[in-house]
């Protein structure tokens, strides 16, 4: 086993076949940029950001529905900060708020319980956006809402699952030699799902945390595994093979697998989670939100699946910056374009 210094040297001096490695977690994208990892690698090691930013992959139909709900006199939309600035077909939630819509940023979904209890005259709709990481939190929110019989609390869901989109990327993009498996997702699902994907797709996976040293070890491991199948878990202090069984159980109680639409990828079978029928009174209208209208010139769809690097988009750093985001990938701090811009990453 090489020490970190030897691994850094090996990555910088690598002169073998080109290796294309994709991270499918927005937090990994941010950590790679923050730690200056691209500058530590040989030009023959290509890091590609995948569809791991939940805000980025949310289609415009979801934003449009949230705007519609927020414009109602008796309804308030609750959301995390990043989603407020993402544009729908014509406006974002921030634009709608400026026009008088009821939009409120919260730091935790559980805040909506107190708001709904204290104000029964209004309906509170939480924008439930995310991957396997956040879905258990929304399930716990529903558990509390059911217990308290809150009729004025609903969810608009756009919940995604990771295995299916990885299959889509490999099938429709190709050229990926290895995946940095998403550590937060794996903490819930377990590392076992990535072992199964590796066998199916013939591509290695390494589950990683978010420290710079561990990411470097992960990249080194994937280069060593190029052309082979297999899964390694380098995040064992957080991720087990089986995952968080209790979280999986509470999710399965309230949600079931469904087809889901992804920005730039269309509808991917079995790639989402929707409320079970018995809990449909808590749904604010999530079904059938499939349309996606990209802003003119925006290349987020190609960036999300690794066909383009962010700086290859003609709008990058010109018409599209973090202060004036044209596309969703420049809005979120987990977005590929945002991280490439703020770090000067190439």
């Amino acid at each position: 086993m090489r020490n970190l210094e030897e691994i850094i040297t090996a990555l910088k001096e690598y002169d073998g076949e080109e290796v294309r490695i994709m991270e499918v977690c927005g937090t990994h994208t941010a950590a790679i940029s923050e730690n200056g990892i691209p500058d530590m690698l040989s030009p023959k090691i290509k890091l590609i950001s995948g569809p791991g930013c939940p805000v980025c992959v949310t289609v415009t139909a979801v934003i449009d529905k949230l705007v519609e709900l927020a414009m109602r006199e008796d309804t308030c939309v609750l959301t995390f900060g990043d989603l407020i600035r993402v544009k729908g077909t014509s406006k974002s939630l921030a634009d709608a708020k400026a026009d008088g819509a009821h939009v409120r940023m919260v730091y935790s979904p559980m805040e909506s319980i107190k708001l709904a209890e204290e104000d029964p005259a209004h309906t509170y709709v939480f924008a439930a956006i995310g991957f396997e990481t956040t879905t258990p939190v929304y399930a716990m929110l529903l558990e509390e809402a059911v217990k308290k019989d809150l009729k004025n609390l609903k969810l608009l869901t756009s919940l995604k699952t990771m295995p299916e989109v990885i299959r889509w990327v490999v099938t429709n993009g190709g050229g990926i030699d290895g995946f940095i498996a998403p550590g937060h997702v794996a903490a819930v699902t377990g590392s076992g799902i990535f072992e199964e994907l590796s066998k199916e797709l013939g591509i290695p996976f390494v589950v990683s945390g978010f420290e710079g040293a561990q990411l470097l070890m992960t990249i080194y491991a994937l280069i060593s595994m190029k052309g082979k199948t297999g899964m390694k878990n380098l995040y064992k202090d957080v991720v087990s093979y089986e995952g968080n069984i209790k979280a999986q159980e509470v999710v399965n109680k309230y949600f079931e697998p469904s087809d889901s639409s992804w920005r730039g990828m269309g509808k991917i079978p079995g790639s989402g989670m929707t409320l079970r029928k018995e809990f449909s009174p808590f749904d604010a209208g999530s079904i059938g939100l499939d349309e996606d209208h990209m802003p003119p010139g925006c290349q987020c769809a190609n960036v999300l699946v690794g066909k383009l690097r962010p700086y290859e988009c003609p709008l990058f750093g010109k018409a599209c910056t973090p202060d004036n985001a044209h596309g969703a990938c420049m809005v979120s701090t987990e977005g590929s374009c945002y991280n490439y811009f703020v770090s000067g990453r190439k």
Side-chain angles (χ1 to χ4, degrees):
M1 173 68 77
R2 292 188 170 191
N3 61 35
L4 182 58
E5 187 175 331
E6 290 172 332
I7 286 173
I8 291 172
T9 300
L11 291 175
K12 190 67 175 177
E13 296 179 353
Y14 175 78
D15 195 33
E17 293 182 355
E18 183 177 282
V19 184
R20 290 165 53 86
I21 296 171
M22 175 176 278
E23 82 270 4
V24 282
C25 172
T27 311
H28 276 150
T29 298
I32 286 167
S33 296
E34 289 165 3
N35 285 281
I37 287 176
D39 293 334
M40 301 181 192
L41 306 179
S42 158
K44 291 193 172 183
I45 302 172
K46 308 293 187 184
L47 297 184
I48 302 162
S49 301
C53 164
V55 168
C56 304
V57 299
T58 299
V59 296
T60 52
V62 173
I63 307 300
D64 292 344
K65 183 66 177 180
L66 289 168
V67 168
E68 175 199 321
L69 291 166
M71 294 299 293
R72 297 178 184 177
E73 283 295 326
D74 63 346
T75 302
C76 179
V77 167
L78 307 175
T79 179
F80 295 131
D82 282 353
L83 194 68
I84 290 179
R85 296 174 56 222
V86 176
K87 282 195 177 293
T89 303
S90 60
K91 63 174 64 176
S92 65
L93 283 169
D95 297 328
K97 187 175 183 179
D99 291 340
H102 306 290
V103 180
R104 182 166 177 169
M105 188 184 80
V106 295
Y107 293 98
S108 166
M110 302 310 289
E111 292 178 44
S112 58
I113 295 290
K114 184 179 180 183
L115 291 168
E117 281 185 307
E118 293 178 349
D119 184 14
H122 287 83
T123 296
Y124 287 86
V125 176
F126 195 92
I129 309 295
F131 290 101
E132 293 97 334
T133 313
T134 51
T135 306
V137 180
Y138 301 134
M140 292 170 63
L141 171 62
L142 285 165
E143 186 109 292
E144 194 68 14
V146 169
K147 188 188 302 181
K148 293 179 178 290
D149 193 28
L150 291 174
K151 308 289 189 187
N152 63 326
L153 179 59
K154 298 181 184 295
L155 301 184
L156 191 80
T157 61
S158 181
L159 299 171
K160 315 293 188 187
T161 53
M162 198 57 81
E164 294 76 17
V165 76
I166 289 174
R167 289 189 184 96
W168 192 98
V169 168
V170 172
T171 302
N172 292 274
I176 307 298
D177 297 304
F179 282 92
I180 302 175
H184 289 149
V185 167
V188 176
T189 65
S191 61
I193 66 166
F194 298 106
E195 184 174 81
E196 294 170 10
L197 277 173
S198 176
K199 291 176 182 176
E200 176 188 334
L201 301 173
I203 298 173
F205 286 75
V206 176
V207 181
S208 178
F210 304 90
E211 298 296 327
Q214 190 168 108
L215 283 164
L216 287 167
M217 288 187 282
T218 295
I219 294 165
Y220 179 77
L222 285 167
I223 291 170
S224 304
M225 297 165 73
K226 184 179 185 294
K228 305 173 185 176
T229 60
M231 181 277 298
K232 289 185 179 180
N233 180 8
L234 299 185
Y235 201 26
K236 288 183 178 178
D237 53 335
V238 172
V239 176
S240 67
Y241 190 83
E242 299 81 11
N244 188 327
I245 302 300
K246 287 186 177 179
Q248 294 169 23
E249 287 174 348
V250 72
V251 167
N252 291 333
K253 178 178 178 181
Y254 291 99
F255 297 97
E256 60 185 358
S258 65
D259 300 344
S260 187
S261 292
W262 297 63
R263 173 158 289 176
M265 290 164 269
K267 184 173 285 190
I268 302 177
S271 66
M273 300 289 282
T274 52
L275 281 165
R276 292 186 177 275
K277 288 183 180 178
E278 57 265 41
F279 300 109
S280 59
F282 291 96
D283 193 325
S286 311
I287 306 301
L289 301 180
D290 300 320
E291 289 190 24
D292 195 30
H293 302 283
M294 300 289 289
C298 177
Q299 294 295 316
C300 275
N302 288 321
V303 169
L304 285 166
V305 298
K307 291 182 178 179
L308 282 183
R309 300 292 182 90
Y311 53 80
E312 293 172 331
C313 173
L315 303 183
F316 180 84
K318 299 166 187 168
C320 186
T321 66
D323 291 333
N324 184 34
H326 203 65
C329 297
M330 189 64 89
V331 173
S332 172
T333 55
E334 293 188 352
S336 304
C337 295
Y338 175 91
N339 279 284
Y340 272 70
F341 183 89
V342 298
S343 67
R345 180 175 167 184
K346 293 290 184 183

